[in-house]
Amino acid sequence: MGEMVTPAWEGYATQLANAEQEGLLTALKDVIKREAISMAQEASVFVGKDTRPSSESLSQAVLDGVHTLESHSKDYGLVTTPQLHYMVCCQNTQGRYGDATVKGYYQKLSQAFIQLTKNVPNRTDDQKARLVDGANGIGALKVCEMETYLKKELQLSLFNDGSKLTSTCLFSFYVCISIDPKGVEMSVRECCCSYDCDADRVVYYYCDSAGRFHLLDGDKIATLISTYLKELLTQAGLDLQIAVVQTAYANGSSTRYLEDTMKGIVRCTKTGVKHLHHAAQEFDIGVYFEANGHGTVLFSKEAEEKIQPLARDSNTNDERRNATLLLQNTVNLIKQTVGDAISDMLLIEAVLAIRGMTVQQWDAIYTDLPNRQLKVKVADRRVIDTTDAERRTVSPAGLQEAIDSLVNKHRQARSFVRPSGTEDVVRVYTEADTQESADALAHEVSLAVYRLAGGVGEEPKHL
């Protein structure tokens, strides 16, 4: 259905990637046998590429491989990663999800956005405008193509528009250290959103009158969307369970707001979109966003079956029917298979318009606790073992006790450590009531990791 592969198939991918040339056929046959795959069934492979120079030869290699196996392929050329997911979902639902073309993608999202915002009173031209940083990636090209379909209901000023390809993407730096983005001309209190290079993540930001940079990350996005959906469910009189799924990296202020103020359900999972996606499927409506802006909303089949008939029922009172129609168009706007920067941006813009909110008012829903992320080099990252969705360590002995003791020295403090998935480093996260405390705690916890988990090189220094 265009979603991410299951953990079992991740294992197969590893097996195939590591197979020597002479062992490749054996490895393929092993997968076929284990999954009882019928080789008589016709298969299609959809292929896309981005704007990096390597994409041309890599996508052609995939097409050649499919041709060698006498299967069908369709080359979509330049598309974002989420657009390719969309095509697969359309194909495997026999067109019920939409038309499996780039034009079909633009039409589905733009029509849903226009329907959502058409009855919003007194929208000014300023409220219909947004700065977009395309990160010089494929998303820049595609959002530019889409703008005409929005019929001036949202007018985009595009920076880093893909006219040059950058060797590094600064998106992660915005998220981690809240720096002012390069190449974006932004006045005081003017808001911009940034995509990452393959357009499956989005964040918003602005500078206030004092020149301070404000980042609205995945936590803020999840809070905005879940609050909006909860209000619509109440207005529509629908008894559906909605939950927000977070990781340990979610800012503590967002969790407290969702649980204490909104009285909502919050589920914490291990880091990684696949864990968030799986947990979100357990609810009627599951909202998940990593802090880096990668996420989406999932509606269960049962939830959609309750929403659709109510939207068509002429006997429903106006408030219930209007709320249900908004829910219906929200379902159409959201890409449920995978995070999509363009879809998520349109949803955020629609929610802000419907609720009559500025980005500054959205930002003021809660105030993030100051936090810090560091990493410590170790001889072997496998010495770190965690539990409770990576929020506590079970080994090495004494590390969690040391972290607890250090946390207790600071106000509103929290810290956890987890091993990197790719390199011999341990990632450290801390938050506290002030940036000074968060930085001090990060240094103290880093020293504990260094001393108890086999640190290498110089001891961590205070920031």
Side-chain angles (χ1 to χ4, degrees):
M1 292 298 111
E3 72 273 40
M4 290 168 289
V5 296
T6 63
W9 280 84
E10 286 185 6
Y12 295 149
T14 301
Q15 179 185 351
L16 292 169
N18 291 322
E20 298 294 342
Q21 185 64 30
E22 60 273 14
L24 180 59
L25 186 58
T26 302
L28 280 169
K29 286 181 176 178
D30 181 55
V31 175
I32 292 165
K33 182 179 179 182
R34 285 201 217 175
E35 294 293 326
I37 294 168
S38 169
M39 297 306 289
Q41 183 177 349
E42 284 195 0
S44 294
V45 179
F46 287 179
V47 183
K49 63 188 175 193
D50 62 24
T51 52
R52 287 174 288 191
S54 56
S55 287
E56 188 68 39
S57 58
L58 289 171
S59 62
Q60 189 58 53
V62 175
L63 292 165
D64 290 345
V66 173
H67 178 73
T68 301
L69 292 172
E70 298 180 351
S71 291
H72 302 289
S73 65
K74 183 161 185 176
D75 183 6
Y76 279 97
L78 290 169
V79 288
T80 68
T81 304
Q83 283 179 330
L84 194 64
H85 285 261
Y86 165 85
M87 307 303 176
V88 173
C89 188
C90 291
Q91 177 70 16
N92 287 335
T93 56
Q94 289 75 50
R96 290 191 302 276
Y97 188 71
D99 179 25
T101 63
V102 173
K103 181 180 179 181
Y105 170 91
Y106 295 147
Q107 288 176 329
K108 181 180 174 73
L109 296 191
S110 60
Q111 287 169 9
F113 176 80
I114 291 168
Q115 287 298 312
L116 273 172
T117 57
K118 69 177 183 180
N119 293 322
V120 175
N122 304 319
R123 277 182 81 207
T124 65
D125 287 343
D126 284 348
Q127 291 169 330
K128 294 180 180 182
R130 182 65 69 218
L131 303 181
V132 178
D133 166 21
N136 283 314
I138 183 65
L141 303 183
K142 294 301 165 179
V143 77
C144 194
E145 290 177 1
M146 183 172 186
E147 189 173 9
T148 56
Y149 292 85
L150 294 169
K151 299 177 180 177
K152 296 188 177 181
E153 289 303 307
L154 183 64
Q155 299 184 61
L156 307 174
S157 297
L158 188 62
F159 295 90
N160 296 322
D161 59 5
S163 55
K164 62 178 181 178
L165 185 67
T166 51
S167 59
T168 57
C169 178
L170 293 174
F171 180 90
S172 295
F173 292 97
Y174 306 159
V175 174
C176 290
I177 60 176
S178 295
I179 64 169
D180 209 354
K182 308 297 182 189
V184 178
E185 298 171 13
M186 194 169 61
S187 58
V188 172
R189 297 183 65 81
E190 191 171 23
C191 178
C192 182
C193 69
S194 275
Y195 301 163
D196 66 335
C197 288
D198 61 349
D200 59 8
R201 291 183 280 169
V202 65
V203 293
Y204 277 64
Y205 47 87
Y206 68 95
C207 286
D208 63 23
S209 55
R212 286 188 297 265
F213 181 83
H214 293 251
L215 176 71
L216 290 87
D217 61 6
D219 296 338
K220 288 271 169 113
I221 294 171
T223 302
L224 177 73
I225 293 172
S226 61
T227 304
Y228 159 76
L229 290 172
K230 192 171 183 181
E231 288 174 356
L232 288 183
L233 290 175
T234 300
Q235 293 166 11
L238 286 168
D239 184 20
L240 295 172
Q241 190 180 53
I242 181 171
V244 176
V245 184
Q246 298 182 327
T247 71
Y249 285 104
N251 194 279
S253 288
S254 72
T255 309
R256 277 189 284 276
Y257 176 81
L258 289 165
E259 290 182 331
D260 300 341
T261 304
M262 294 305 301
K263 308 300 181 186
I265 300 169
V266 178
R267 171 75 58 83
C268 188
T269 72
K270 292 171 67 176
T271 304
V273 175
K274 62 184 178 183
H275 301 298
L276 291 155
H277 192 94
H278 180 74
Q281 290 174 320
E282 298 175 17
F283 301 93
D284 294 321
I285 302 174
V287 181
Y288 74 85
F289 278 85
E290 290 186 299
N292 64 21
H294 191 171
T296 188
V297 183
L298 303 184
F299 291 82
S300 69
K301 184 179 178 182
E302 292 76 15
E304 291 196 30
E305 287 175 348
K306 285 184 178 180
I307 292 168
Q308 305 297 354
L310 200 57
R312 295 191 295 266
D313 188 354
S314 58
N315 296 319
T316 306
N317 68 54
D318 286 347
E319 184 186 28
R320 287 191 71 192
R321 191 160 185 273
N322 288 339
T324 310
L325 285 169
L326 287 174
L327 280 169
Q328 185 181 50
N329 284 308
T330 300
V331 171
N332 289 334
L333 183 54
I334 289 168
K335 282 282 302 303
Q336 296 188 52
T337 54
V338 69
D340 182 338
I342 296 175
S343 167
D344 290 339
M345 176 195 72
L346 291 175
L347 178 60
I348 291 164
E349 296 295 337
V351 173
L352 291 174
I354 291 164
R355 300 187 74 191
M357 293 177 71
T358 65
V359 171
Q360 289 76 20
Q361 289 170 328
W362 167 26
D363 189 28
I365 289 176
Y366 66 83
T367 302
D368 280 328
L369 283 168
N371 56 85
R372 180 65 65 194
Q373 295 185 45
L374 297 175
K375 58 184 180 181
V376 181
K377 292 183 179 180
V378 294
D380 184 356
R381 67 183 184 275
R382 292 171 295 183
V383 301
I384 299 284
D385 192 19
T386 64
T387 187
D388 189 23
E390 301 179 317
R391 290 178 289 191
R392 297 185 67 80
T393 60
V394 294
S395 67
L399 180 56
Q400 187 58 52
E401 290 77 10
I403 294 172
D404 290 341
S405 176
L406 294 167
V407 166
N408 287 335
K409 291 161 52 180
H410 301 268
R411 295 182 58 191
Q412 291 184 270
R414 181 172 71 94
S415 180
F416 68 90
V417 303
R418 55 181 288 271
S420 166
T422 56
E423 54 184 330
D424 282 325
V425 299
V426 177
R427 304 194 184 280
V428 175
Y429 177 90
T430 63
E431 60 184 38
D433 64 332
T434 67
Q435 191 63 60
E436 185 180 8
S437 284
D439 290 347
L441 180 57
H443 176 244
E444 293 160 359
V445 172
S446 295
L447 280 175
V449 170
Y450 182 89
R451 292 164 182 170
L452 295 172
V456 296
E458 293 184 7
E459 277 196 348
K461 290 182 171 60
H462 198 287
L463 292 169

